[in-house]
Every structure is written in structure tokens, then in C-alpha cells.
Amino acid sequence: MRTRPAAVTSPETGTGEVPRGVLVGRPLSKGGPAGAYDAVVIGSGAGGLTTAVCLARQGRRVAVFEQHYTAGGYTHAYRRRGWEWDVGIHYVGQLSPREPVRVLSDYLTGGALRWAPLGDPYDEYRLADEVHRAPVGFAAYRAALTARFPAERAGIEALFRLVERCRAVLPALALGRLSGPVVRRLAGLLRTAAVPDEARRPAREVVAGLVRDERLRQAVLTPSALLLADSSSRLPFFLLAVLFEHFRKGAWYPVGGSAAIARAMLGPIRAAGGEVFVRAPVDRIALDGSRATGVVLADGTRVHAPVVVSAAGAHHTYRTLMPGAGADQLDGMRRGFPFVLLFLGLDGDPEELGLPRHNVMVTDGDVDAFFDGKGGRTSGRFLSFSCAKDPTWTARHPGRSTGEILAYVRPELFEPFRGRHRDPDYLALKAEITEELLAQLHRQLPRTEGRVVYHELGTPLTAEHFAGWPGGSLYGLAKDVTTFGDGRAPGRADWLRPRTEVEGLYLSGQDCLAGGFMGAVTGGLLAAHEALDRTGRARLWAGLLKRGIRPPSAP
């Protein structure tokens, strides 16, 4: 018999109501777009919704079109047979008062979106037979590494000094993506004054020059490879530094689950007369000569707007929605690695099962070997349990727990089964990988043995279908040293700017700058900046500054 969840304090209303369902947005079948819009946004991931809210807060009427049955992209949640899972948000950093993500979160949601800290440590890495924990704070992290590798004290100190010196790289890159001579000049000055030469060199090369102990190198490099889905021989060092900086003060999880993110961003869009439409795939971007004038939906509906923002990824934008324009420049650009995701339903509450609030990352050896093409068909195990992170979970789902195990796979592994989801060989491959991941779960968390009562595996074909990323990539285009350039030669992605060569068309999301939640919302903010007029931009940045200076009081 299913028990109705007890009342909890709603993160949106502050009342004693049970939090609402995980579905966010208005189905197109319940009433389509009406009247004129100031802007349309294609895709409702974190980047697209960020752009939409930033425009809406400047009085723009925005229509967001999402092909999936719920809004949120990789921040959405779903339910099956009474179980509830998050599909992409495992934790977010820089959410202390006045930190960048906190400021933007409070601006986008008016402070309605609440975040729960994961505690200390926020991550645990099990590298072969060694366990490393990621403590909160640079001093604690540095001390933990030094205690384990005392002979490498000088190298560890040098590593953290270099990480500190890389703090300006992402702001410099962001400014460099914007149009206009003033911001470009500022970006150039910032790069010259504050970006060290090592920042854009391969992370493995830089770390190898600082420390000699291979075990220490693995301890430093493996988290970046697993979180950024690529070999540290290709990842620029500054991305490793960005991760250190992002989680310097710890990590947080959205109260009420990841669906709370899109739900909290829906209000400002609707308040300005806009809407987020789901089950509303866009067929193409409408053009009048060299200018974007709106979109044509899959059902033939034409929606007119002087501003069109694509948060659907560069590949989908230039090769499907607007084939021809810019497509040649995508040739030779790598896609990020695909993944499988095992969703787990367990009998018992998180405490009873010993499920950690922090994430657990597991690898049997050098994770770079897999990304460099020398390993097996899968690599890395990222274990995450939203049920242990969300303070509302136990009241909403008493006696139940859910979790996810993510593992990267060879890009070619599932290619033969495209369009063949019922193929016996495809189902057999899924079953084999499922058994491998379940065995890893029980090995790492023994109290889960015999308690998994439901599971299902999402593959790269699943991700491609729902998110639209070619090949099921987690972060869209690869974020490697060739993407960003070495500081002397331009990067392959330098042309992927929020303001495109098509008048009225803008790009938002991960392909604009960097991957993950922070990269997506930053890309969304940059797209809004470019799409606004001078007055709108001034109001946008003034609103963000106000949130930074006077953060809302904690509830």
C-alpha cells in the first residue's frame, strides 16, 4: 500500500504543503503560443531558462519551447512506478552568500530556490585501493594531500598557488565571447595581466611538472577527468583549477530535488507574459534573408519574434534547425564522451542503507587510459544519492531511496543499435552493463545488497533522444585544449559566441563557454546580455549587483 507523504515545508511557498510534482511547463496540446513574443528560446535546460528569465526580468515576453515532456534539460527529474530520480544535477558549488552561483540563483528565482549543503567532505574518490576525500576549503585540501604525500609538500604548495592564479581565466574567456570593442579589450587586458601561461596547457602535463609521485598525480587528476568527461592529457589545466575554485567552500543540492530549479525559474517568465511549452519540438529557425524572425514548430505553427535564442547545442542548431550556416566550422570538433546512467530504487531509507550525502567516484586505475582509448568499454563509476542530499526526501518518500550510477562508455559501443532499441543484442548489452554496475554498488556500499528492488539503464541513445546531444554526449562539444586554444593560436570554438553571424540569433548553454551547470547558466547569462539593448543590459547587471551586495535573508 502506498503511503501519502507527510507534509513538509515547501521550498517555493514556505507553507506546509507537499512539494509539487516533477513535471514543469505547459504541454503544447493544452494551448499553444498566442500573440507576439519579444523572444523565443529553443531548449529549456539551465542555459535556456537562464536566458529566458534574464530577458523576462527586463520586461520581455518570452516563449520557451522544449521537445521533452518536462522542462529542465539535465536538471529535470522524472518518476517511474512511484520512484523519483534526478537525471543530471548531483551537486553545485559557489553557493555561499555573494558567491557567483548564489547571486545568479537568487536573481533568477527571487531567492525562492533553496540549496542544502552536502557537508564535509563533499566528494570521495576511491582510486584502486586508495580512498581520498575532498574536504571543504583549500587549506584543508592542501593539508590532506600533504599528510598523505609529505615528500611532495613543495609540489603541492606550487599546485595550489597555480590554481589560485587561474581564477581569472573563466571571466576572461567569458568577456572574450562577448561582442563590442570595449569588452574585447577588457578581456585581452585581463588575459595578459592575470592568466598564467600554464592555464591552457594540458592538465596532465602541468601537474607532472609539479609533482613526481604518480599516486599523487592520480589523486589530483582523476576528479577532473571523471567530472569533465575527458582525458587530463586533453583538458586544459585551468578547468582543473575551475573545479577546485567552484567547490572551494563546499557543494550544495537543490531543496526539493533538481526539478525545483526549473520550477522556480518558471514564475518570472510567466510574470512577464511568457510561457515554457513542453512537448513542443522546434522544426527549424525561420529566416528572412540573413535575419532570424522566429521558429517553426514541428506541427507547423509559426512563432514570430525579433530575438531567437538556441540553447539546443551547436550541432543541433547549425545542422538541424538551420542547416548550412556555420555547419562547416563544426567539422573536426570533438564531441564529449557519452555515458550510461543506472537508476536505482532501493527498499529502505538513506540512513538505514548507509547512503552518503557526498558523491562517491570509483576507478580501478588510471582513468585517462579509458579516455585515451586504451581501456575497456566503460570507465569510472559516479555514485550519487539525491535521497540523502535532499532534506525533504524522507518526508516525501518514507521507507524508500533512489540513486544513480554514471559510467562513461566508448563512443562506438551503442552506435550499431541506433534505431534498434528492441534489438536482443542491445538489450543484452544493457543487461551486462547493469550487472557490472550493480556489482560495483554492492562492493562500495555493502548495505545495499538485496535492497535494490527496481532499476533501469539509460544509454547514450536515451540521452540523445531526450536531450538532443549527438551521440549522447554529457557536455555537448568537447572542452579540450584545441577548443579553447593555447593563448597564442585561436581555439576551434572561438567562433561559437552568444551573438551569431545571423542577425537576431543567439546561442545559449554549454557550447558557448564551458560544461556543467555553471557553464550552462553562464552561457545563458552571456546570451541574455547580447540579446538585450543597452538599457536592458544595464538593468540586468544592476539587478545581479544588487543581489550580490544584499543577498536575501535565509528562510
Side-chain angles (χ1 to χ4, degrees):
M1 183 171 117
R2 188 171 300 167
T3 305
R4 177 177 174 81
V8 297
T9 300
S10 165
E12 289 79 35
T13 65
T15 68
E17 301 172 358
V18 174
R20 288 165 283 175
V22 296
L23 299 184
V24 179
R26 177 181 175 180
L28 199 61
S29 61
K30 293 186 177 180
Y37 291 91
D38 299 308
V40 295
V41 176
I42 306 167
S44 70
L49 289 179
T50 294
T51 303
V53 174
C54 288
L55 296 178
R57 289 207 178 279
Q58 316 321 316
R60 273 51 168 187
R61 188 168 183 249
V62 184
V64 180
F65 295 105
E66 169 58 52
Q67 59 130 11
H68 197 18
Y69 59 74
T70 185
Y74 275 127
T75 71
H76 87 268
Y78 80 101
R79 288 178 181 164
R80 184 100 76 219
R81 302 182 186 180
W83 304 95
E84 178 182 319
W85 296 275
D86 292 351
V87 300
I89 286 290
H90 301 117
Y91 57 172
V92 178
Q94 293 186 310
L95 277 158
S96 288
R98 297 186 177 87
E99 283 198 297
V101 181
R102 170 68 72 178
V103 171
L104 190 53
S105 171
D106 288 344
Y107 176 77
L108 294 173
T109 71
L113 180 61
R114 293 165 53 206
W115 299 86
L118 298 194
D120 192 357
Y122 58 87
D123 264 338
E124 183 175 305
Y125 306 99
R126 301 181 180 183
L127 314 182
D129 296 325
E130 293 192 353
V131 176
H132 298 263
R133 293 181 176 86
V136 175
F138 273 16
Y141 212 139
R142 187 166 50 237
L145 290 176
T146 303
R148 180 164 286 191
F149 303 97
E152 293 281 4
R153 176 184 294 274
I156 293 170
E157 294 287 345
L159 172 67
F160 277 87
R161 285 196 298 271
L162 183 56
V163 166
E164 292 271 14
R165 291 174 58 208
C166 287
R167 298 180 71 179
V169 178
L170 209 57
L173 286 172
L175 283 174
R177 290 283 197 266
L178 297 177
S179 60
V182 175
V183 291
R184 294 283 180 84
R185 177 64 174 164
L186 285 174
L189 291 173
L190 189 57
R191 282 196 300 268
T192 301
V195 176
D197 292 339
E198 300 94 330
R200 296 195 186 188
R201 284 167 46 199
R204 184 195 292 176
E205 174 188 317
V206 174
V207 172
L210 295 174
V211 299
R212 298 180 300 276
D213 192 306
E214 181 59 28
R215 291 163 50 243
L216 174 56
R217 293 177 186 173
Q218 290 297 323
V220 171
L221 292 172
T222 297
S224 299
L226 288 178
L227 288 172
L228 300 173
D230 211 339
S231 169
S232 64
S233 68
R234 288 189 292 267
L235 291 169
F237 178 81
F238 81 82
L239 285 181
L240 179 149
V242 164
L243 284 179
F244 269 101
E245 179 65 27
H246 189 63
F247 295 114
R248 176 200 287 256
K249 296 184 180 180
W252 287 256
Y253 183 81
V255 175
S258 66
I261 297 173
R263 192 161 57 238
M265 295 169 76
L266 189 60
I269 296 171
R270 286 178 170 170
E275 184 57 86
V276 175
F277 296 99
V278 296
R279 300 186 187 272
V282 172
D283 180 69
R284 68 183 186 274
I285 294 169
L287 299 173
D288 182 2
S290 61
R291 178 175 180 80
T293 58
V295 298
V296 180
L297 304 183
D299 65 2
T301 302
R302 290 181 174 268
V303 183
H304 298 280
V307 169
V308 177
V309 180
S310 177
H315 273 279
H316 191 57
T317 300
Y318 288 112
R319 290 190 164 154
T320 304
L321 300 175
M322 197 176 55
D328 291 345
Q329 292 175 277
L330 289 169
D331 293 339
M333 295 185 69
R334 293 175 55 240
R335 299 173 184 173
F337 267 80
F339 63 99
V340 292
L341 193 57
L342 182 63
F343 297 98
L344 304 163
L346 301 99
D347 179 25
D349 61 40
E351 184 176 358
E352 176 189 357
L353 299 174
L355 304 180
R357 294 171 68 195
H358 60 262
N359 303 295
V360 177
M361 302 186 195
V362 182
T363 180
D364 293 329
D366 182 359
V367 73
D368 277 347
F370 167 80
F371 292 118
D372 289 336
K374 304 171 187 175
R377 64 184 182 182
T378 67
S379 180
R381 304 290 184 266
F382 189 104
L383 285 69
S384 175
F385 300 93
S386 55
C387 59
K389 302 173 185 178
D390 179 9
T392 72
W393 175 271
T394 302
R396 293 191 290 125
H397 302 281
R400 285 188 162 199
S401 296
T402 59
E404 305 85 43
I405 306 177
L406 182 149
Y408 297 106
V409 297
R410 304 298 313 161
E412 66 276 7
L413 188 61
F414 284 92
E415 280 296 319
F417 304 108
R418 188 175 297 279
R420 299 163 54 196
H421 290 188
R422 297 186 183 276
D423 189 299
D425 290 338
Y426 174 71
L427 298 178
L429 177 60
K430 289 181 63 176
E432 289 174 16
I433 294 176
T434 295
E435 288 305 311
E436 291 173 9
L437 296 180
L438 286 173
Q440 188 69 255
L441 168 71
H442 301 323
R443 189 178 308 122
Q444 302 300 328
L445 300 170
R447 284 154 68 180
T448 64
E449 185 82 45
R451 308 301 290 273
V452 177
V453 295
Y454 182 83
H455 58 73
E456 61 180 67
L457 185 76
T459 73
L461 303 183
T462 315
E464 183 173 7
H465 173 72
F466 285 113
W469 294 108
S473 165
L474 183 59
Y475 296 131
L477 294 171
K479 308 301 188 285
D480 56 20
V481 289
T482 62
T483 296
F484 293 103
D486 60 6
R488 295 178 292 275
R492 283 183 178 271
D494 280 4
W495 67 280
L496 283 173
R497 302 175 181 275
R499 182 185 292 273
T500 74
E501 295 180 357
V502 177
E503 188 178 357
L505 176 65
Y506 305 87
L507 291 181
S508 176
Q510 297 185 100
D511 281 345
C512 285
L513 186 63
F517 180 79
M518 182 182 68
V521 297
T522 303
L525 177 61
L526 298 179
H529 169 95
E530 292 286 64
L532 288 165
D533 57 20
R534 184 176 298 177
T535 301
R537 291 175 182 176
R539 291 176 58 190
L540 170 64
W541 293 106
L544 286 165
L545 181 62
K546 180 180 177 181
R547 285 287 176 179
I549 295 174
R550 302 165 111 186
S553 301

PDB file of all heavy atoms in Angstrom, residues 345-359:
ATOM      1  N   GLY A 345      16.196   1.978  -7.517  1.00  0.00           N
ATOM      2  CA  GLY A 345      15.172   2.116  -6.496  1.00  0.00           C
ATOM      3  C   GLY A 345      15.446   1.116  -5.392  1.00  0.00           C
ATOM      4  O   GLY A 345      15.575  -0.088  -5.664  1.00  0.00           O
ATOM      5  N   LEU A 346      15.600   1.606  -4.156  1.00  0.00           N
ATOM      6  CA  LEU A 346      16.001   0.739  -3.048  1.00  0.00           C
ATOM      7  C   LEU A 346      14.948   0.741  -1.946  1.00  0.00           C
ATOM      8  O   LEU A 346      14.322   1.780  -1.669  1.00  0.00           O
ATOM      9  CB  LEU A 346      17.345   1.179  -2.463  1.00  0.00           C
ATOM     10  CG  LEU A 346      18.530   1.191  -3.426  1.00  0.00           C
ATOM     11  CD1 LEU A 346      18.782   2.612  -3.924  1.00  0.00           C
ATOM     12  CD2 LEU A 346      19.778   0.641  -2.768  1.00  0.00           C
ATOM     13  N   ASP A 347      14.799  -0.402  -1.332  1.00  0.00           N
ATOM     14  CA  ASP A 347      13.876  -0.575  -0.213  1.00  0.00           C
ATOM     15  C   ASP A 347      14.589  -0.200   1.079  1.00  0.00           C
ATOM     16  O   ASP A 347      15.509  -0.890   1.520  1.00  0.00           O
ATOM     17  CB  ASP A 347      13.411  -2.032  -0.169  1.00  0.00           C
ATOM     18  CG  ASP A 347      12.468  -2.309   0.993  1.00  0.00           C
ATOM     19  OD1 ASP A 347      11.822  -1.364   1.459  1.00  0.00           O
ATOM     20  OD2 ASP A 347      12.408  -3.478   1.425  1.00  0.00           O
ATOM     21  N   GLY A 348      14.175   0.912   1.677  1.00  0.00           N
ATOM     22  CA  GLY A 348      14.800   1.391   2.906  1.00  0.00           C
ATOM     23  C   GLY A 348      15.153   2.850   2.792  1.00  0.00           C
ATOM     24  O   GLY A 348      15.344   3.368   1.689  1.00  0.00           O
ATOM     25  N   ASP A 349      15.235   3.537   3.923  1.00  0.00           N
ATOM     26  CA  ASP A 349      15.574   4.958   3.862  1.00  0.00           C
ATOM     27  C   ASP A 349      17.093   5.130   3.790  1.00  0.00           C
ATOM     28  O   ASP A 349      17.852   4.194   4.039  1.00  0.00           O
ATOM     29  CB  ASP A 349      14.972   5.730   5.042  1.00  0.00           C
ATOM     30  CG  ASP A 349      15.481   5.254   6.397  1.00  0.00           C
ATOM     31  OD1 ASP A 349      16.692   4.952   6.504  1.00  0.00           O
ATOM     32  OD2 ASP A 349      14.687   5.198   7.337  1.00  0.00           O
ATOM     33  N   PRO A 350      17.574   6.323   3.419  1.00  0.00           N
ATOM     34  CA  PRO A 350      19.007   6.535   3.189  1.00  0.00           C
ATOM     35  C   PRO A 350      19.883   6.187   4.390  1.00  0.00           C
ATOM     36  O   PRO A 350      20.956   5.588   4.225  1.00  0.00           O
ATOM     37  CB  PRO A 350      19.091   8.027   2.842  1.00  0.00           C
ATOM     38  CG  PRO A 350      17.745   8.367   2.300  1.00  0.00           C
ATOM     39  CD  PRO A 350      16.779   7.526   3.055  1.00  0.00           C
ATOM     40  N   GLU A 351      19.437   6.531   5.592  1.00  0.00           N
ATOM     41  CA  GLU A 351      20.254   6.255   6.771  1.00  0.00           C
ATOM     42  C   GLU A 351      20.388   4.758   7.014  1.00  0.00           C
ATOM     43  O   GLU A 351      21.474   4.253   7.308  1.00  0.00           O
ATOM     44  CB  GLU A 351      19.641   6.944   7.991  1.00  0.00           C
ATOM     45  CG  GLU A 351      20.486   6.798   9.254  1.00  0.00           C
ATOM     46  CD  GLU A 351      19.913   7.581  10.428  1.00  0.00           C
ATOM     47  OE1 GLU A 351      18.879   8.264  10.242  1.00  0.00           O
ATOM     48  OE2 GLU A 351      20.494   7.495  11.519  1.00  0.00           O
ATOM     49  N   GLU A 352      19.295   4.053   6.865  1.00  0.00           N
ATOM     50  CA  GLU A 352      19.304   2.604   7.075  1.00  0.00           C
ATOM     51  C   GLU A 352      20.252   1.905   6.104  1.00  0.00           C
ATOM     52  O   GLU A 352      20.939   0.941   6.461  1.00  0.00           O
ATOM     53  CB  GLU A 352      17.884   2.065   6.892  1.00  0.00           C
ATOM     54  CG  GLU A 352      17.765   0.554   6.984  1.00  0.00           C
ATOM     55  CD  GLU A 352      16.377   0.080   6.571  1.00  0.00           C
ATOM     56  OE1 GLU A 352      15.511   0.936   6.273  1.00  0.00           O
ATOM     57  OE2 GLU A 352      16.185  -1.151   6.531  1.00  0.00           O
ATOM     58  N   LEU A 353      20.303   2.400   4.855  1.00  0.00           N
ATOM     59  CA  LEU A 353      21.119   1.770   3.822  1.00  0.00           C
ATOM     60  C   LEU A 353      22.550   2.293   3.799  1.00  0.00           C
ATOM     61  O   LEU A 353      23.370   1.804   3.013  1.00  0.00           O
ATOM     62  CB  LEU A 353      20.471   1.992   2.452  1.00  0.00           C
ATOM     63  CG  LEU A 353      19.069   1.406   2.268  1.00  0.00           C
ATOM     64  CD1 LEU A 353      18.485   1.820   0.925  1.00  0.00           C
ATOM     65  CD2 LEU A 353      19.108  -0.115   2.395  1.00  0.00           C
ATOM     66  N   GLY A 354      22.850   3.288   4.632  1.00  0.00           N
ATOM     67  CA  GLY A 354      24.196   3.847   4.668  1.00  0.00           C
ATOM     68  C   GLY A 354      24.563   4.618   3.416  1.00  0.00           C
ATOM     69  O   GLY A 354      25.724   4.613   2.982  1.00  0.00           O
ATOM     70  N   LEU A 355      23.575   5.295   2.816  1.00  0.00           N
ATOM     71  CA  LEU A 355      23.830   6.046   1.588  1.00  0.00           C
ATOM     72  C   LEU A 355      24.430   7.410   1.928  1.00  0.00           C
ATOM     73  O   LEU A 355      23.878   8.150   2.750  1.00  0.00           O
ATOM     74  CB  LEU A 355      22.527   6.224   0.800  1.00  0.00           C
ATOM     75  CG  LEU A 355      21.799   4.931   0.444  1.00  0.00           C
ATOM     76  CD1 LEU A 355      20.523   5.236  -0.322  1.00  0.00           C
ATOM     77  CD2 LEU A 355      22.692   3.990  -0.353  1.00  0.00           C
ATOM     78  N   PRO A 356      25.544   7.760   1.338  1.00  0.00           N
ATOM     79  CA  PRO A 356      26.223   9.020   1.693  1.00  0.00           C
ATOM     80  C   PRO A 356      25.586  10.227   1.037  1.00  0.00           C
ATOM     81  O   PRO A 356      24.996  10.142  -0.049  1.00  0.00           O
ATOM     82  CB  PRO A 356      27.639   8.796   1.154  1.00  0.00           C
ATOM     83  CG  PRO A 356      27.446   7.901  -0.031  1.00  0.00           C
ATOM     84  CD  PRO A 356      26.308   6.987   0.344  1.00  0.00           C
ATOM     85  N   ARG A 357      25.723  11.375   1.705  1.00  0.00           N
ATOM     86  CA  ARG A 357      25.294  12.633   1.095  1.00  0.00           C
ATOM     87  C   ARG A 357      26.290  13.068   0.035  1.00  0.00           C
ATOM     88  O   ARG A 357      25.917  13.666  -0.973  1.00  0.00           O
ATOM     89  CB  ARG A 357      25.167  13.719   2.160  1.00  0.00           C
ATOM     90  CG  ARG A 357      24.062  13.451   3.181  1.00  0.00           C
ATOM     91  CD  ARG A 357      24.121  14.444   4.323  1.00  0.00           C
ATOM     92  NE  ARG A 357      23.784  15.793   3.901  1.00  0.00           N
ATOM     93  CZ  ARG A 357      24.021  16.894   4.618  1.00  0.00           C
ATOM     94  NH1 ARG A 357      24.637  16.768   5.785  1.00  0.00           N
ATOM     95  NH2 ARG A 357      23.662  18.065   4.184  1.00  0.00           N
ATOM     96  N   HIS A 358      27.582  12.787   0.272  1.00  0.00           N
ATOM     97  CA  HIS A 358      28.583  13.155  -0.722  1.00  0.00           C
ATOM     98  C   HIS A 358      28.569  12.151  -1.870  1.00  0.00           C
ATOM     99  O   HIS A 358      28.025  11.046  -1.759  1.00  0.00           O
ATOM    100  CB  HIS A 358      29.974  13.219  -0.090  1.00  0.00           C
ATOM    101  CG  HIS A 358      30.428  11.938   0.515  1.00  0.00           C
ATOM    102  ND1 HIS A 358      30.316  11.673   1.866  1.00  0.00           N
ATOM    103  CD2 HIS A 358      30.976  10.825  -0.025  1.00  0.00           C
ATOM    104  CE1 HIS A 358      30.795  10.475   2.124  1.00  0.00           C
ATOM    105  NE2 HIS A 358      31.196   9.931   0.984  1.00  0.00           N
ATOM    106  N   ASN A 359      29.164  12.530  -2.991  1.00  0.00           N
ATOM    107  CA  ASN A 359      29.280  11.645  -4.137  1.00  0.00           C
ATOM    108  C   ASN A 359      30.461  10.700  -3.938  1.00  0.00           C
ATOM    109  O   ASN A 359      31.445  11.050  -3.289  1.00  0.00           O
ATOM    110  CB  ASN A 359      29.491  12.459  -5.423  1.00  0.00           C
ATOM    111  CG  ASN A 359      28.374  13.454  -5.639  1.00  0.00           C
ATOM    112  OD1 ASN A 359      27.224  13.078  -5.848  1.00  0.00           O
ATOM    113  ND2 ASN A 359      28.700  14.745  -5.572  1.00  0.00           N
TER     114      ASN A 359
END
